[in-house]
Amino acid sequence: MNVLLDHLPEFREGFIGTILLTLASGVLAMVLGVMIAGFRVSPVPPLRFFGTAWVTLFRNTPLTLLFLVAWFVIPVIFMPGLSPWTKALLALSFYTSSFVCEAVRSGINTVPLGQAEAARSIGMTFFQTLRLIVLPQATRTVIPPLSSIFIALTKNSAIAGAFSTAELFGVQKLLSDKGFDIAWIFLWVALGYLVITFTISGLFRLLERRMGVAR
């Protein structure tokens, strides 16, 4: 307990850092994932190719390797001067977006084809059909897998702590380097992650229940 109380500011900063990184990465991953899912079911071949390449690349690349690319390749070639937090955001968002994309695409495939055909018969474009007809119906199916994806995102954010990002798992490195008992450090860090993941799980269960009532 003394480890927690004596270093409460560090644990608080890491806890808040994990929450902010998870929220920001989750929002960006959702935007990218839904967009790429639209590309994957698009009737336009170049868009389908881009969506398939995106998912294949990021789903099959280790997240640690993406962090290394974000730290040592992107600043040199594309965007110099990025902060560690922004680099972690990009790595986590791009990686998670590929999983969001596949979850959304699976949900789209559960919508009867007749819905899209009816929309096209009244003159709606593909993206109008996707946004107004297909995605709202696919949402109920997508919610359960998204819960698992965002819980995984929370745990994946621990990698950012090894790359100089203010994050909960990074607290253990800071304190263990000072000689504190690593078992107690890991206990408090693990409890912090449990609080976040149980909160995400509860929010998605609530959302799923509300969508179930609307069904």
mmCIF file of all heavy atoms in Angstrom, residues 139-169:
data_model
loop_
_atom_site.group_PDB
_atom_site.id
_atom_site.type_symbol
_atom_site.label_atom_id
_atom_site.label_comp_id
_atom_site.label_asym_id
_atom_site.label_seq_id
_atom_site.Cartn_x
_atom_site.Cartn_y
_atom_site.Cartn_z
ATOM 1 N N THR A 139 -25.201 -2.125 -36.716
ATOM 2 C CA THR A 139 -24.643 -1.705 -35.429
ATOM 3 C C THR A 139 -24.876 -2.734 -34.337
ATOM 4 O O THR A 139 -23.980 -3.025 -33.532
ATOM 5 C CB THR A 139 -25.259 -0.354 -35.003
ATOM 6 O OG1 THR A 139 -24.986 0.620 -36.021
ATOM 7 C CG2 THR A 139 -24.671 0.117 -33.688
ATOM 8 N N ARG A 140 -26.067 -3.327 -34.276
ATOM 9 C CA ARG A 140 -26.382 -4.294 -33.222
ATOM 10 C C ARG A 140 -25.434 -5.482 -33.253
ATOM 11 O O ARG A 140 -25.021 -5.991 -32.219
ATOM 12 C CB ARG A 140 -27.820 -4.778 -33.364
ATOM 13 C CG ARG A 140 -28.878 -3.692 -33.267
ATOM 14 C CD ARG A 140 -30.275 -4.298 -33.249
ATOM 15 N NE ARG A 140 -31.294 -3.269 -33.310
ATOM 16 C CZ ARG A 140 -31.959 -2.949 -34.405
ATOM 17 N NH1 ARG A 140 -31.709 -3.574 -35.524
ATOM 18 N NH2 ARG A 140 -32.878 -2.004 -34.378
ATOM 19 N N THR A 141 -25.087 -5.924 -34.445
ATOM 20 C CA THR A 141 -24.202 -7.077 -34.589
ATOM 21 C C THR A 141 -22.752 -6.721 -34.266
ATOM 22 O O THR A 141 -21.988 -7.573 -33.806
ATOM 23 C CB THR A 141 -24.285 -7.621 -36.029
ATOM 24 O OG1 THR A 141 -25.653 -7.816 -36.374
ATOM 25 C CG2 THR A 141 -23.545 -8.934 -36.164
ATOM 26 N N VAL A 142 -22.394 -5.473 -34.487
ATOM 27 C CA VAL A 142 -20.999 -5.048 -34.346
ATOM 28 C C VAL A 142 -20.613 -4.788 -32.893
ATOM 29 O O VAL A 142 -19.444 -4.927 -32.521
ATOM 30 C CB VAL A 142 -20.768 -3.780 -35.207
ATOM 31 C CG1 VAL A 142 -19.417 -3.151 -34.917
ATOM 32 C CG2 VAL A 142 -20.886 -4.121 -36.683
ATOM 33 N N ILE A 143 -21.573 -4.425 -32.054
ATOM 34 C CA ILE A 143 -21.253 -4.006 -30.682
ATOM 35 C C ILE A 143 -20.478 -5.049 -29.883
ATOM 36 O O ILE A 143 -19.454 -4.722 -29.260
ATOM 37 C CB ILE A 143 -22.537 -3.582 -29.942
ATOM 38 C CG1 ILE A 143 -23.049 -2.266 -30.514
ATOM 39 C CG2 ILE A 143 -22.271 -3.421 -28.441
ATOM 40 C CD1 ILE A 143 -24.370 -1.815 -29.936
ATOM 41 N N PRO A 144 -20.885 -6.330 -29.836
ATOM 42 C CA PRO A 144 -20.138 -7.300 -29.018
ATOM 43 C C PRO A 144 -18.665 -7.451 -29.406
ATOM 44 O O PRO A 144 -17.799 -7.399 -28.520
ATOM 45 C CB PRO A 144 -20.927 -8.604 -29.210
ATOM 46 C CG PRO A 144 -22.316 -8.157 -29.538
ATOM 47 C CD PRO A 144 -22.134 -6.928 -30.366
ATOM 48 N N PRO A 145 -18.328 -7.625 -30.698
ATOM 49 C CA PRO A 145 -16.899 -7.719 -31.027
ATOM 50 C C PRO A 145 -16.129 -6.431 -30.777
ATOM 51 O O PRO A 145 -14.940 -6.465 -30.436
ATOM 52 C CB PRO A 145 -16.886 -8.088 -32.516
ATOM 53 C CG PRO A 145 -18.222 -7.732 -33.032
ATOM 54 C CD PRO A 145 -19.163 -7.904 -31.888
ATOM 55 N N LEU A 146 -16.794 -5.282 -30.907
ATOM 56 C CA LEU A 146 -16.110 -4.016 -30.630
ATOM 57 C C LEU A 146 -15.709 -3.919 -29.164
ATOM 58 O O LEU A 146 -14.665 -3.348 -28.832
ATOM 59 C CB LEU A 146 -16.996 -2.832 -31.000
ATOM 60 C CG LEU A 146 -17.123 -2.491 -32.483
ATOM 61 C CD1 LEU A 146 -17.994 -1.265 -32.669
ATOM 62 C CD2 LEU A 146 -15.756 -2.267 -33.117
ATOM 63 N N SER A 147 -16.518 -4.486 -28.282
ATOM 64 C CA SER A 147 -16.170 -4.490 -26.862
ATOM 65 C C SER A 147 -14.835 -5.188 -26.635
ATOM 66 O O SER A 147 -13.950 -4.669 -25.944
ATOM 67 C CB SER A 147 -17.276 -5.186 -26.061
ATOM 68 O OG SER A 147 -16.905 -5.313 -24.696
ATOM 69 N N SER A 148 -14.672 -6.357 -27.250
ATOM 70 C CA SER A 148 -13.414 -7.100 -27.104
ATOM 71 C C SER A 148 -12.248 -6.344 -27.733
ATOM 72 O O SER A 148 -11.129 -6.353 -27.198
ATOM 73 C CB SER A 148 -13.548 -8.480 -27.755
ATOM 74 O OG SER A 148 -14.570 -9.232 -27.137
ATOM 75 N N ILE A 149 -12.499 -5.680 -28.851
ATOM 76 C CA ILE A 149 -11.438 -4.943 -29.538
ATOM 77 C C ILE A 149 -10.941 -3.783 -28.679
ATOM 78 O O ILE A 149 -9.725 -3.552 -28.565
ATOM 79 C CB ILE A 149 -11.944 -4.434 -30.906
ATOM 80 C CG1 ILE A 149 -12.138 -5.614 -31.865
ATOM 81 C CG2 ILE A 149 -10.972 -3.414 -31.501
ATOM 82 C CD1 ILE A 149 -12.842 -5.252 -33.158
ATOM 83 N N PHE A 150 -11.847 -3.058 -28.031
ATOM 84 C CA PHE A 150 -11.430 -1.906 -27.230
ATOM 85 C C PHE A 150 -10.815 -2.325 -25.902
ATOM 86 O O PHE A 150 -9.969 -1.611 -25.368
ATOM 87 C CB PHE A 150 -12.602 -0.954 -27.028
ATOM 88 C CG PHE A 150 -12.940 -0.164 -28.257
ATOM 89 C CD1 PHE A 150 -14.172 -0.283 -28.873
ATOM 90 C CD2 PHE A 150 -12.002 0.685 -28.823
ATOM 91 C CE1 PHE A 150 -14.470 0.422 -30.024
ATOM 92 C CE2 PHE A 150 -12.281 1.403 -29.978
ATOM 93 C CZ PHE A 150 -13.528 1.273 -30.574
ATOM 94 N N ILE A 151 -11.221 -3.464 -25.375
ATOM 95 C CA ILE A 151 -10.536 -3.992 -24.200
ATOM 96 C C ILE A 151 -9.102 -4.371 -24.574
ATOM 97 O O ILE A 151 -8.150 -4.098 -23.832
ATOM 98 C CB ILE A 151 -11.305 -5.195 -23.624
ATOM 99 C CG1 ILE A 151 -12.595 -4.715 -22.960
ATOM 100 C CG2 ILE A 151 -10.446 -5.964 -22.621
ATOM 101 C CD1 ILE A 151 -13.497 -5.833 -22.493
ATOM 102 N N ALA A 152 -8.950 -5.004 -25.737
ATOM 103 C CA ALA A 152 -7.603 -5.345 -26.218
ATOM 104 C C ALA A 152 -6.776 -4.080 -26.461
ATOM 105 O O ALA A 152 -5.571 -4.053 -26.190
ATOM 106 C CB ALA A 152 -7.699 -6.178 -27.488
ATOM 107 N N LEU A 153 -7.423 -3.020 -26.957
ATOM 108 C CA LEU A 153 -6.724 -1.752 -27.181
ATOM 109 C C LEU A 153 -6.172 -1.200 -25.872
ATOM 110 O O LEU A 153 -5.030 -0.711 -25.826
ATOM 111 C CB LEU A 153 -7.681 -0.746 -27.821
ATOM 112 C CG LEU A 153 -7.206 0.711 -27.902
ATOM 113 C CD1 LEU A 153 -5.943 0.822 -28.742
ATOM 114 C CD2 LEU A 153 -8.310 1.609 -28.462
ATOM 115 N N THR A 154 -6.961 -1.289 -24.808
ATOM 116 C CA THR A 154 -6.502 -0.803 -23.499
ATOM 117 C C THR A 154 -5.234 -1.535 -23.067
ATOM 118 O O THR A 154 -4.268 -0.921 -22.603
ATOM 119 C CB THR A 154 -7.600 -1.008 -22.445
ATOM 120 O OG1 THR A 154 -8.793 -0.353 -22.871
ATOM 121 C CG2 THR A 154 -7.168 -0.442 -21.101
ATOM 122 N N LYS A 155 -5.236 -2.839 -23.233
ATOM 123 C CA LYS A 155 -4.067 -3.628 -22.833
ATOM 124 C C LYS A 155 -2.893 -3.386 -23.783
ATOM 125 O O LYS A 155 -1.737 -3.370 -23.359
ATOM 126 C CB LYS A 155 -4.437 -5.111 -22.772
ATOM 127 C CG LYS A 155 -5.438 -5.420 -21.657
ATOM 128 C CD LYS A 155 -5.768 -6.891 -21.569
ATOM 129 C CE LYS A 155 -6.680 -7.330 -22.682
ATOM 130 N NZ LYS A 155 -7.146 -8.729 -22.500
ATOM 131 N N ASN A 156 -3.190 -3.198 -25.055
ATOM 132 C CA ASN A 156 -2.113 -2.925 -26.014
ATOM 133 C C ASN A 156 -1.427 -1.589 -25.744
ATOM 134 O O ASN A 156 -0.257 -1.398 -26.102
ATOM 135 C CB ASN A 156 -2.665 -2.927 -27.440
ATOM 136 C CG ASN A 156 -3.023 -4.319 -27.928
ATOM 137 O OD1 ASN A 156 -2.506 -5.316 -27.421
ATOM 138 N ND2 ASN A 156 -3.914 -4.404 -28.897
ATOM 139 N N SER A 157 -2.154 -0.660 -25.128
ATOM 140 C CA SER A 157 -1.562 0.653 -24.851
ATOM 141 C C SER A 157 -0.387 0.552 -23.892
ATOM 142 O O SER A 157 0.395 1.493 -23.775
ATOM 143 C CB SER A 157 -2.624 1.606 -24.280
ATOM 144 O OG SER A 157 -3.017 1.198 -22.978
ATOM 145 N N ALA A 158 -0.255 -0.591 -23.193
ATOM 146 C CA ALA A 158 0.878 -0.772 -22.277
ATOM 147 C C ALA A 158 2.213 -0.700 -23.014
ATOM 148 O O ALA A 158 3.229 -0.320 -22.418
ATOM 149 C CB ALA A 158 0.751 -2.112 -21.555
ATOM 150 N N ILE A 159 2.209 -1.045 -24.304
ATOM 151 C CA ILE A 159 3.450 -0.982 -25.075
ATOM 152 C C ILE A 159 3.971 0.442 -25.143
ATOM 153 O O ILE A 159 5.184 0.678 -25.189
ATOM 154 C CB ILE A 159 3.230 -1.557 -26.488
ATOM 155 C CG1 ILE A 159 2.802 -3.025 -26.394
ATOM 156 C CG2 ILE A 159 4.482 -1.434 -27.351
ATOM 157 C CD1 ILE A 159 2.490 -3.671 -27.731
ATOM 158 N N ALA A 160 3.053 1.414 -25.130
ATOM 159 C CA ALA A 160 3.465 2.823 -25.214
ATOM 160 C C ALA A 160 4.337 3.214 -24.033
ATOM 161 O O ALA A 160 5.173 4.121 -24.146
ATOM 162 C CB ALA A 160 2.236 3.724 -25.291
ATOM 163 N N GLY A 161 4.159 2.538 -22.890
ATOM 164 C CA GLY A 161 4.965 2.865 -21.730
ATOM 165 C C GLY A 161 6.444 2.597 -21.932
ATOM 166 O O GLY A 161 7.291 3.234 -21.297
ATOM 167 N N ALA A 162 6.764 1.663 -22.826
ATOM 168 C CA ALA A 162 8.167 1.364 -23.123
ATOM 169 C C ALA A 162 8.766 2.357 -24.113
ATOM 170 O O ALA A 162 9.960 2.288 -24.407
ATOM 171 C CB ALA A 162 8.287 -0.055 -23.672
ATOM 172 N N PHE A 163 7.927 3.270 -24.639
ATOM 173 C CA PHE A 163 8.389 4.245 -25.624
ATOM 174 C C PHE A 163 8.210 5.671 -25.109
ATOM 175 O O PHE A 163 7.810 6.571 -25.856
ATOM 176 C CB PHE A 163 7.632 4.056 -26.944
ATOM 177 C CG PHE A 163 8.022 2.814 -27.701
ATOM 178 C CD1 PHE A 163 7.418 1.606 -27.413
ATOM 179 C CD2 PHE A 163 9.004 2.855 -28.672
ATOM 180 C CE1 PHE A 163 7.775 0.456 -28.102
ATOM 181 C CE2 PHE A 163 9.366 1.715 -29.365
ATOM 182 C CZ PHE A 163 8.755 0.502 -29.078
ATOM 183 N N SER A 164 8.500 5.859 -23.821
ATOM 184 C CA SER A 164 8.531 7.202 -23.217
ATOM 185 C C SER A 164 7.206 7.931 -23.290
ATOM 186 O O SER A 164 7.163 9.163 -23.402
ATOM 187 C CB SER A 164 9.617 8.058 -23.895
ATOM 188 O OG SER A 164 10.872 7.417 -23.847
ATOM 189 N N THR A 165 6.098 7.185 -23.223
ATOM 190 C CA THR A 165 4.774 7.783 -23.203
ATOM 191 C C THR A 165 4.200 7.690 -21.796
ATOM 192 O O THR A 165 4.305 6.638 -21.158
ATOM 193 C CB THR A 165 3.838 7.072 -24.197
ATOM 194 O OG1 THR A 165 4.425 7.109 -25.502
ATOM 195 C CG2 THR A 165 2.482 7.766 -24.258
ATOM 196 N N ALA A 166 3.607 8.782 -21.307
ATOM 197 C CA ALA A 166 3.008 8.775 -19.970
ATOM 198 C C ALA A 166 1.815 7.834 -19.961
ATOM 199 O O ALA A 166 0.755 8.136 -20.523
ATOM 200 C CB ALA A 166 2.578 10.195 -19.583
ATOM 201 N N GLU A 167 2.003 6.687 -19.338
ATOM 202 C CA GLU A 167 1.000 5.627 -19.405
ATOM 203 C C GLU A 167 1.155 4.739 -18.174
ATOM 204 O O GLU A 167 2.225 4.717 -17.549
ATOM 205 C CB GLU A 167 1.232 4.857 -20.718
ATOM 206 C CG GLU A 167 0.188 3.837 -21.083
ATOM 207 C CD GLU A 167 0.504 2.490 -20.484
ATOM 208 O OE1 GLU A 167 1.676 2.252 -20.154
ATOM 209 O OE2 GLU A 167 -0.439 1.690 -20.330
ATOM 210 N N LEU A 168 0.100 4.032 -17.808
ATOM 211 C CA LEU A 168 0.070 3.294 -16.544
ATOM 212 C C LEU A 168 1.177 2.259 -16.434
ATOM 213 O O LEU A 168 1.838 2.141 -15.401
ATOM 214 C CB LEU A 168 -1.299 2.621 -16.380
ATOM 215 C CG LEU A 168 -1.580 1.933 -15.044
ATOM 216 C CD1 LEU A 168 -1.424 2.917 -13.893
ATOM 217 C CD2 LEU A 168 -2.984 1.338 -15.044
ATOM 218 N N PHE A 169 1.420 1.501 -17.499
ATOM 219 C CA PHE A 169 2.441 0.465 -17.426
ATOM 220 C C PHE A 169 3.844 1.077 -17.301
ATOM 221 O O PHE A 169 4.752 0.462 -16.758
ATOM 222 C CB PHE A 169 2.383 -0.441 -18.661
ATOM 223 C CG PHE A 169 3.207 -1.688 -18.527
ATOM 224 C CD1 PHE A 169 2.792 -2.734 -17.717
ATOM 225 C CD2 PHE A 169 4.411 -1.818 -19.202
ATOM 226 C CE1 PHE A 169 3.555 -3.883 -17.584
ATOM 227 C CE2 PHE A 169 5.185 -2.960 -19.075
ATOM 228 C CZ PHE A 169 4.752 -3.997 -18.265
#
